[in-house]
Amino acid sequence: MLFRSLRGAVVDATSDPRRLLVDQEARAEGTAALARHVDLVGTALSLVVLVFAFTSIRRDAARERAARRDADEATRFLDSVIENLPAMIFMKEAEGLRFERINRAGEELLGMPREDLLGKSDRDFFPEEQARFFEAKDRQTLAHADVVDVPEEPIETKTGRRWLHTRKVPLFDGEGAPRYLLGISEDITARKANAEALQAAKEKAEAVSRELEAFSYSVAHDLRTPLRSIDGFTRALMEDNPEALSDVGRGHLLRVIAATQRMATLIDDLLMLSRISRASVDPEEVDLSAIATESAAGLRLTAFERDVRVAIAPALKTRGDPRLLRIVFDNLLDNAFKFTAGRSPAHIEVGETVEDGRQAFFVRDDGAGFDGRYVHKLFGAFQRLHDVREYPGTGIGLATVQRIVSRHGGRVWAQGEPGRGATFTFTLSGERATNRPPVQGESSG
């Protein structure tokens, strides 16, 4: 009994430490398992971070390679553009103004390879005066930090003197200080030579024109003097000795007077044609309806006994020299009055039409007309399609019209039939037709 009690006490005494040890072992195993899980998670996270970092590095490296490749391609493209431009492109360093770069056009223009140019300045190649001029323009460009334009500058090259149009601009570093000077030069030698030749030709033509004008007036004066004598003495003969002249003789003298008057008119017409060929054209806005109305009114005074009905469209507007266009209408309307002499009433119309999309103006009559086969002769000087005894004139009027219209950059043409009238139409340069139809009104006389 005692032994059993003692055994029970021993068992009770040792059971608590064993349980404690078992609990400790269980906790230790749990802690170890947690540590293993934490270690696995940490390792996994480390791998994820490493993979992400590696991927990011590779991506950045790929971007950098692509950027370098794009930059290289852009540089090659820019180099190709500069190298193949027809103008000379050069670059100098700002301090000593020595050539840092030049393209193929520059080599060809200067007549030397770039290897002989790079690292050297203008003083190594050009005369002292030219070199100082180039350097002064370079320093001006760098000092003012702006584009300097040199419209003309001579330059001595291996192939002789050339003329350049040069523009220069500074290139700055990151701190805003000029580091390089960039220049673009265009060879204008041929253009300058052409301009000088054109100016010389113009001056020569003006001198010839002045000589021709002086000659024309001299000839006109020399021709008028004997004409006045012929006319004066013929009239004196008729007035002072009427009893000595028969009717036939008087008729002959009247023909002489008429011939001298026609000759005087011809001289005046030739002088007008000559002046028109040299006169300046001063365009402005012109009311052709008003011009035609004034011209017709003046012609009516010379044909007051006739029934001539003139219809002039209102608001005929154009751009031209009003003085010269008045001469156009004076001649065209004079022709219309003249060649409708056999009509009563006679009809003349001034209006507007469209030809090839351009504004055109016409003078139409219902008079004698002409044979269309000979239309090409109408606008030549001294060309006539009718007998001067039936329709007087010098044959200069339509040549004058053609000259004036041509000076305005337009053209003139005619249509007609014998006995059915004629129409003269002309255009002026740059006049586009309006969308409105021609409006016509009538002014009867």
Side-chain angles (χ1 to χ4, degrees):
M1 188 67 178
L2 181 59
F3 179 74
R4 189 178 298 118
S5 298
L6 182 59
R7 183 179 178 183
V10 171
V11 171
D12 291 337
T14 59
S15 59
D16 289 337
R18 189 179 296 115
R19 282 195 300 272
L20 182 59
L21 180 60
V22 171
D23 291 340
Q24 289 178 347
E25 289 176 352
R27 283 195 296 273
E29 288 179 0
T31 300
L34 179 61
R36 286 195 298 273
H37 283 91
V38 170
D39 185 51
L40 288 174
V41 171
T43 301
L45 288 175
S46 298
L47 288 174
V48 170
V49 171
L50 287 173
V51 169
F52 179 78
F54 181 72
T55 302
S56 178
I57 291 172
R58 288 189 61 185
R59 187 166 54 249
D60 292 343
R63 288 201 192 99
E64 186 177 350
R65 287 194 300 272
R68 283 199 301 269
R69 184 171 60 252
D70 292 343
D72 291 342
E73 290 179 358
T75 301
R76 285 193 298 271
F77 176 75
L78 182 59
D79 289 342
S80 177
V81 170
I82 293 175
E83 189 66 16
N84 291 284
L85 281 174
M88 178 172 74
I89 309 294
F90 61 90
M91 188 168 66
K92 299 176 181 179
E93 51 88 15
E95 184 177 353
L97 296 177
R98 289 182 292 272
F99 286 95
E100 291 283 333
R101 182 167 185 173
I102 193 166
N103 66 345
R104 185 185 302 127
E107 290 181 299
E108 295 173 355
L109 176 63
L110 299 178
M112 62 182 69
R114 69 189 70 189
E115 291 79 10
D116 295 343
L117 288 164
L118 300 183
K120 298 179 181 179
S121 69
D122 293 322
R123 293 182 179 273
D124 296 315
F125 308 106
F126 305 116
E128 181 67 21
E129 183 178 354
Q130 285 187 1
R132 286 201 305 269
F133 176 81
F134 297 151
E135 288 181 1
K137 291 298 182 181
D138 291 346
R139 293 301 180 192
Q140 178 186 350
T141 303
L142 296 171
H144 292 83
D146 198 3
V147 177
V148 170
D149 189 294
V150 187
E152 289 185 0
E153 59 179 2
I155 183 171
E156 302 299 332
T157 71
K158 297 291 185 181
T159 58
R161 170 167 287 198
R162 313 295 293 176
W163 287 87
L164 305 181
H165 177 195
T166 301
R167 297 177 180 85
K168 299 178 179 180
V169 62
L171 302 178
F172 303 96
D173 59 18
E175 298 178 355
R179 185 175 180 184
Y180 296 104
L181 180 138
L182 177 66
I184 304 175
S185 295
E186 180 186 4
D187 187 353
I188 60 170
T189 306
R191 186 192 310 167
K192 182 176 176 62
N194 292 337
E196 291 175 351
L198 182 61
Q199 181 63 28
K202 180 182 177 182
E203 292 174 357
K204 183 177 180 181
E206 289 175 349
V208 171
S209 178
R210 289 191 295 270
E211 292 177 2
L212 179 60
E213 184 173 5
F215 175 76
S216 299
Y217 281 106
S218 175
V219 169
H221 178 269
D222 292 343
L223 288 175
R224 280 198 180 98
T225 299
L227 282 178
R228 282 194 293 267
S229 296
I230 295 171
D231 183 81
F233 283 113
T234 302
R235 292 179 186 275
L237 181 61
M238 292 178 63
E239 293 172 0
D240 296 342
N241 301 281
E243 69 284 350
L245 296 173
S246 65
D247 291 340
V248 174
R250 190 182 303 276
H252 290 333
L253 292 179
L254 289 173
R255 289 187 179 90
V256 171
I257 293 174
T260 58
Q261 291 175 343
R262 285 198 302 272
M263 187 65 180
T265 302
L266 178 60
I267 292 171
D268 291 338
D269 289 347
L270 284 173
L271 284 175
M272 176 178 287
L273 183 61
S274 176
R275 285 195 298 268
I276 287 171
S277 299
R278 299 186 302 271
S280 62
V281 178
D282 302 316
E284 60 183 68
E285 293 300 320
V286 180
D287 185 348
L288 293 185
S289 298
I291 289 177
T293 299
E294 292 175 3
S295 181
L299 289 167
R300 281 202 185 94
L301 295 177
T302 64
F304 61 89
E305 76 286 354
R306 293 179 52 197
D307 184 6
V308 182
R309 303 180 181 182
V310 183
I312 300 175
L316 297 177
K317 305 290 186 178
T318 189
R319 185 170 179 79
D321 188 309
R323 175 178 52 89
L324 296 178
L325 292 178
R326 173 61 188 267
I327 296 173
V328 168
F329 277 98
D330 284 347
N331 280 280
L332 292 180
L333 288 171
D334 180 65
N335 265 9
F337 268 76
K338 181 193 310 179
F339 289 105
T340 56
R343 295 278 186 179
S344 184
H347 296 86
I348 299 172
E349 182 184 3
V350 178
E352 177 183 4
T353 186
V354 176
E355 292 289 338
D356 297 328
R358 295 197 176 274
Q359 184 182 30
F361 306 96
F362 65 84
V363 175
R364 179 181 298 130
D365 65 69
D366 60 352
F370 59 87
D371 190 336
R373 292 177 298 174
Y374 305 107
V375 66
H376 60 282
K377 293 185 176 182
L378 282 175
F379 299 99
F382 309 114
Q383 298 292 327
R384 295 181 54 87
L385 301 185
H386 300 86
D387 193 325
V388 68
R389 291 170 296 184
E390 185 178 5
Y391 299 104
T394 60
I396 301 293
L398 290 180
T400 302
V401 169
Q402 193 277 336
R403 190 69 55 85
I404 293 173
V405 170
S406 178
R407 293 293 306 279
H408 280 77
R411 65 186 186 96
V412 59
W413 65 97
Q415 296 172 308
E417 294 183 38
R420 302 188 65 177
T423 301
F424 290 85
T425 309
F426 65 92
T427 62
L428 299 174
S429 177
E431 293 297 330
R432 284 289 178 184
T434 59
N435 293 325
R436 65 176 179 84
V439 179
Q440 298 178 355
E442 184 168 298
S443 173
S444 298

